[in-house]
């Protein structure tokens, strides 16, 4: 049986539920669909982890969030980050998951009232230690098409580290790169040209002074 082919009229008539966030987020990132896939990359010490936590906190306004902390677990630095970003304000809507395989995560997502937004940090550690791969990530997104998957990636020489991450970045809707405490959207749903999200104002000033 052949697959369905859409006409231009049918495509134009499709409706998307988008994130109704304010200017702080819409100016750099536009209004992506709630189930859009994200790929966030950045080198170490550029503000990537803080940005991801801030994004997770914002998404709690629109549904439950699961932060799959493969790389850090619940370390002291992770605890400090949650503290200074006041994640206690989203108590009940934000959960941290550690040491779950991709099969166990899929089981979690199959339950009633399961998370709507899933942050996987990082995709490299997920592949090395928890049974993930590029095909497995794609299959999981297809299995839960109404959920939003946000993949965090390490970098090597200013590019996602490893072929699986490069392939995943290619298919994700929202491509974000964090550089010098600023998050830039490079993806298909983009805000106003030249805009960026300020992750840490003091860090930007320090970096500018050093330069």
């Amino acid at each position: 049986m052949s697959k369905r082919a859409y006409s231009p009229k049918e495509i134009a008539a499709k409706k998307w539920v988008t994130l109704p966030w304010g200017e702080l987020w819409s100016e750099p990132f536009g209004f992506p669909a709630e189930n859009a896939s994200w790929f966030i990359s950045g080198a170490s010490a550029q503000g990537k982890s803080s940005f991801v936590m801030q994004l997770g906190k914002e998404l709690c306004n629109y549904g439950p969030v699961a932060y799959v902390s493969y790389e850090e677990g619940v370390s002291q630095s992770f605890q400090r980050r949650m503290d200074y970003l006041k994640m206690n304000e989203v108590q009940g809507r934000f959960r941290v998951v550690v040491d779950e395989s991709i099969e166990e995560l899929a089981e979690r997502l199959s339950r009633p009232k399961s998370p709507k937004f899933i942050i996987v940090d990082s995709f490299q550690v997920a592949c090395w230690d928890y049974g993930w791969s590029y095909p497995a990530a794609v299959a999981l997104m297809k299995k839960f098409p109404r959920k939003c998957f946000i993949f965090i990636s390490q970098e090597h020489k200013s590019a996602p580290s490893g072929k699986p991450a490069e392939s995943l970045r290619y298919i994700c809707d929202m491509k974000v790169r964090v550089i010098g405490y600023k998050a830039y959207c490079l993806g298909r749903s983009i805000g106003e040209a030249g805009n960026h999200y300020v992750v840490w104002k003091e860090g930007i000033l320090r970096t500018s002074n050093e330069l």
Side-chain angles (χ1 to χ4, degrees):
M1 184 181 293
S2 61
K3 300 288 185 180
R4 180 180 176 181
Y6 292 90
S7 71
K9 185 177 180 180
E10 288 174 320
I11 292 172
K14 286 180 74 68
K15 302 295 182 183
W16 305 98
V17 179
T18 58
L19 294 171
W21 48 21
E23 289 183 359
L24 178 68
W25 292 91
S26 66
E27 286 188 357
F29 304 117
F31 295 94
E34 286 189 345
N35 65 340
S37 53
W38 291 63
F39 186 93
I40 302 170
S41 62
S44 178
Q46 295 291 308
K48 179 181 62 184
S49 295
S50 292
F51 169 70
V52 172
M53 192 73 76
Q54 289 173 46
L55 175 62
K57 185 176 183 181
E58 173 66 23
L59 292 175
C60 284
N61 293 316
Y62 317 110
V65 175
Y67 194 119
V68 186
S69 185
Y70 284 140
E71 190 162 318
E72 285 190 275
V74 183
S75 63
Q76 188 180 27
S77 60
F78 192 90
Q79 182 191 53
R80 283 199 301 264
R81 195 176 310 121
M82 289 194 66
D83 182 52
Y84 81 73
L85 291 174
K86 301 179 181 178
M87 298 303 289
N88 61 301
E89 294 175 349
V90 289
Q91 179 73 23
R93 287 168 282 166
F94 187 88
R95 289 286 184 271
V96 179
V97 178
V98 295
D99 295 330
E100 278 193 352
S101 67
I102 188 170
E103 293 81 11
E104 289 168 331
L105 179 62
E107 183 183 346
R108 177 185 293 275
L109 299 180
S110 299
R111 300 171 191 164
K113 299 181 180 179
S114 62
K116 184 175 183 177
F117 303 95
I118 302 94
I119 300 169
V120 180
D121 187 7
S122 66
F123 182 61
Q124 284 77 12
V125 177
C127 291
W128 296 333
D129 297 336
Y130 295 95
W132 289 69
S133 63
Y134 168 71
V138 173
L140 191 66
M141 288 191 283
K142 287 182 177 180
K143 184 174 182 177
F144 300 101
R146 295 185 179 181
K147 296 185 184 294
C148 168
F149 288 88
I150 301 166
F151 298 98
I152 317 307
S153 175
Q154 300 172 2
E155 280 192 352
H156 177 66
K157 295 183 179 179
S158 302
S161 182
K163 291 292 184 183
E166 289 179 9
S167 298
L168 187 60
R169 180 186 184 278
Y170 188 81
I171 67 163
C172 283
D173 303 301
M174 301 293 291
K175 301 168 178 54
V176 178
R177 188 156 185 247
V178 183
I179 313 168
Y181 307 107
K182 299 175 184 177
Y184 297 89
C185 183
L186 311 172
R188 297 165 187 159
S189 175
I190 193 165
E192 295 180 18
N195 278 339
H196 58 265
Y197 178 88
V198 174
V199 179
W200 184 34
K201 196 171 185 179
E202 185 181 338
I204 294 171
L205 291 173
R206 286 183 183 178
T207 304
S208 299
N209 291 336
E210 287 170 6
L211 293 174

